[in-house]
């Protein structure tokens, strides 16, 4: 498991724990998650969403959206391909 990616480690956590992480510290965690996802997938949209959310202060919105998607689909799905 030494080669496991950061996003894979996050996705491997308990659903409720991930919900609270994204809901409580989503303002920091959600854009960082997208940056790490970009480093894995090289999807430019994912990186742009992370940067825009940091610059315009919308990262808390991403945190709430990510918390909800964690409960519904057990994975961050919105603009994080």
């Amino acid at each position: 498991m030494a080669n496991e990616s950061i996003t894979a480690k996050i996705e491997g956590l308990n659903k409720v724990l991930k919900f609270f992480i994204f809901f409580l510290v989503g303002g920091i965690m959600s854009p960082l998650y997208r940056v790490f996802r970009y480093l894995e997938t090289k999807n430019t949209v994912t990186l742009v969403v992370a940067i825009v959310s940091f610059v315009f202060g919308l990262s808390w919105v991403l945190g709430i959206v990510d918390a909800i998607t964690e409960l519904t689909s057990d994975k961050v799905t919105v603009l994080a391909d």
Side-chain angles (χ1 to χ4, degrees), residues 6-37 58-71 74-78 80:
I6 293 173
T7 56
K9 289 180 183 179
I10 293 170
E11 290 170 2
L13 296 174
N14 181 325
K15 180 190 283 193
V16 176
L17 179 61
K18 289 188 291 185
F19 169 79
F20 283 113
I21 288 172
F22 282 111
F23 189 75
L24 296 176
V25 292
I28 297 169
M29 187 63 185
S30 291
L32 284 177
Y33 179 86
R34 282 169 175 75
V35 169
F36 293 134
R37 176 64 76 187
L58 300 173
S59 55
W60 62 273
V61 173
L62 278 179
I64 293 170
V65 170
D66 290 346
I68 292 169
T69 60
E70 281 296 335
L71 286 178
D74 200 26
K75 185 175 182 179
V76 175
T77 56
V78 177

Side-chain angles (χ1 to χ4, degrees), residues 44-64:
T44 309
V45 173
T46 305
L47 181 62
V48 169
V49 168
I51 292 170
V52 167
S53 69
F54 268 137
V55 171
F56 292 110
L58 300 173
S59 55
W60 62 273
V61 173
L62 278 179
I64 293 170

